[in-house]
Amino acid sequence: MPRRKAKNGPFAIFVVPQGREVDWLFASERGREQLVESAGYERLVVVSLHSGHAYPGLVQVKEEVSANALEFAQAGLKQKKYPVLTLGDGIGSREVLHKDSSVFSG
């Protein structure tokens, strides 16, 4: 992938709202490329939230992902904090309609 000009900065973290993980924008390579281009950062770490975990809100998610996501930042960046982005509707929500297990899949 060619190096892109960063109009907003060198690095940011994008949190995919719960329930939107399968949307084209987040689930496909071309969609994520469009997301990076739209966000305007040189590098964008895209974070999907685990479906089996309850997240109280965006503030807690930011705290949890920030430290780990910095491992993917470009070498030589001096800042320790970078923007955590998401869509206007925050981290979203997920409603479990049915949960079961089987001897085949656990």
Side-chain angles (χ1 to χ4, degrees):
M1 183 182 264
R3 190 173 176 99
R4 54 180 48 84
K5 291 191 178 191
K7 63 182 178 189
N8 291 328
F11 179 78
I13 302 160
F14 186 91
V15 178
V16 177
Q18 296 179 90
R20 303 279 309 268
E21 300 87 359
V22 296
D23 288 6
W24 175 84
L25 189 63
F26 310 117
S28 71
E29 184 177 343
R30 285 188 142 179
R32 288 188 303 270
E33 287 175 3
Q34 182 177 325
L35 180 63
V36 171
E37 192 68 35
S38 297
Y41 289 87
E42 189 175 319
R43 182 173 294 179
L44 187 69
V45 172
V46 179
V47 176
S48 294
L49 302 176
H50 187 275
S51 62
H53 186 76
Y55 298 93
L58 186 57
V59 172
Q60 291 82 2
V61 171
K62 284 181 179 183
E63 291 172 1
E64 190 172 325
V65 302
S66 291
N68 295 326
L70 287 177
E71 294 177 23
F72 299 100
Q74 303 91 314
L77 292 181
K78 300 199 186 320
Q79 287 178 250
K80 297 295 181 196
K81 290 189 174 189
Y82 291 93
V84 178
L85 314 170
T86 190
L87 297 179
D89 53 355
I91 62 169
S93 63
R94 180 178 284 116
E95 179 183 354
V96 177
L97 300 177
H98 180 77
K99 185 174 180 178
D100 207 344
S101 64
S102 76
V103 295
F104 300 108
S105 64

